[in-house]
Amino acid sequence: MDRRRKIIGYLLALMAVVAQLAGAEPAGAGDRGDPRDEGASVFRGWGLDTCQAPALTTLSAWKSSDYRAVGVYFAGRARACPHQTYLSERWLEGADDLGWRVLPIYVGSQSPCVRASNKRGFLIGSYPYDQGQSEGEDAVSRASALGIVSRSALYLDMEAYDDKDGDCARTTLSYIRGWNAAVRGGGYLPGFYSSAESGVRHMDRARRSGTTGLPDVLWFARWRVEPTTDREPLIGRTAWQPHRRIHQYQGNVTESHGGRKLTIDRNLVDAPVAIID
């Protein structure tokens, strides 16, 4: 009888361990720890993003501002500004020399239920994971050609979509996971930009369900609120922490510094940036 009790006790303990493991979040699903342990370079402070990479003379003039990070739309078929006048390897080196930290943004294929009408010509197709992998490989290749080296973060821009549409959400998530896998496989950190109340909410829901292969960094847009990287209500309090969040808190504002004017989106950054070779 004692032996039988021991066996039953052992089986119950084993079942408890299995249940605990099944409920645990997998590595890479928002709990990867400090990205600096992976060799990333982290910036904490104010950042901007704007459709066209500004001239280096403008970045020099804007050193009089509080901004020190700049989002750059370096590749992707759905970019609003596909022809970047200044962006080059030399420009990135110059921005780095001026003390700016770069957030490389890739605007690839968009969700089948994207809300913006100007993005509906760039929808994810019938093989979303494979398409995501292909575009992730393109992101790595284009970043490398610009002198953005491994351990840099690359940010996938997925404009707001109906994440409550089940079929559309599954297609979109499959594409994102494929893109992440290719970027991570190329030695980079896959980041993800979207609206807090669509794509980012979707990523946290996937995290809570135990989905693997999610982004390493979240860049969430929630405008007309106080800037914060720690108190976004649609992201689990300890998820994507530490140093794995960016809050875009205001958009399409015009500022002038050092006599140079730009229309920008404003961001509070606590996240990995590009490492320029």
Side-chain angles (χ1 to χ4, degrees):
M1 183 65 72
D2 288 343
R3 187 168 181 270
R4 185 179 176 185
R5 285 200 186 103
K6 287 181 181 177
I7 292 172
I8 292 172
Y10 172 80
L11 290 173
L12 289 172
L14 182 61
M15 289 171 65
V17 170
V18 170
Q20 185 178 16
L21 290 173
E25 291 177 7
D31 63 346
R32 294 175 63 91
D34 193 327
R36 292 174 296 188
D37 295 339
E38 302 175 51
S41 175
V42 166
F43 171 78
R44 302 180 70 186
W46 304 106
L48 64 95
D49 62 275
T50 185
C51 198
Q52 280 278 358
L56 289 176
T57 50
T58 300
L59 287 186
S60 180
W62 273 55
K63 288 190 71 177
S64 62
S65 74
D66 291 332
Y67 299 106
R68 286 298 179 271
V70 56
V72 174
Y73 294 86
F74 76 99
R77 71 190 190 103
R79 284 184 295 175
C81 295
H83 305 293
Q84 295 283 326
T85 303
Y86 302 109
L87 182 59
S88 65
E89 185 173 5
R90 185 174 179 179
W91 183 93
L92 285 164
E93 291 171 351
D96 191 58
D97 289 343
L98 285 169
W100 286 87
R101 297 296 169 255
V102 173
L103 300 162
I105 305 167
Y106 185 93
V107 192
S109 296
Q110 297 293 296
S111 173
C113 49
V114 66
R115 291 172 183 160
S117 59
N118 65 333
K119 299 298 183 185
R120 291 175 188 160
F122 308 97
L123 302 185
I124 299 165
S126 301
Y127 302 95
Y129 191 90
D130 292 344
Q131 187 174 356
Q133 279 193 312
S134 177
E135 294 189 21
E137 290 167 1
D138 178 59
V140 168
S141 175
R142 297 285 294 274
S144 178
L146 286 168
I148 300 171
V149 301
S150 61
R151 305 181 310 283
S152 298
L154 305 180
Y155 292 89
L156 175 64
D157 183 328
M158 185 68 67
E159 294 298 309
Y161 57 95
D162 182 5
D163 65 300
K164 295 182 180 179
D165 179 325
D167 288 341
C168 180
R170 281 187 289 275
T171 295
T172 307
L173 180 58
S174 181
Y175 169 88
I176 293 165
R177 293 178 70 242
W179 194 88
N180 292 344
V183 169
R184 193 174 288 119
Y188 293 77
L189 279 68
F192 179 75
Y193 166 88
S194 192
S195 164
E197 297 199 7
S198 64
V200 169
R201 174 173 61 194
H202 187 193
M203 291 306 101
D204 196 63
R205 189 167 68 244
R207 174 191 67 84
R208 287 185 279 107
S209 73
T211 302
T212 60
L214 296 178
D216 287 355
V217 191
L218 287 188
W219 185 343
F220 55 94
R222 184 181 290 281
W223 294 3
R224 295 176 291 276
V225 298
E226 288 299 312
T228 176
T229 57
D230 296 327
R231 296 189 298 277
E232 167 50 46
L234 295 179
I235 306 175
R237 185 177 59 83
T238 61
W240 284 282
Q241 294 280 23
H243 312 307
R244 293 181 182 270
R245 297 186 184 189
I246 302 172
H247 179 195
Q248 185 186 89
Y249 62 93
Q250 199 165 9
N252 299 323
V253 296
T254 299
E255 292 188 31
S256 182
H257 299 280
R260 297 297 181 97
K261 183 183 295 185
L262 287 175
T263 299
I264 64 169
D265 298 333
R266 294 170 173 164
N267 303 275
L268 179 60
V269 183
D270 182 9
V273 294
I275 303 172
I276 310 301
D277 186 7

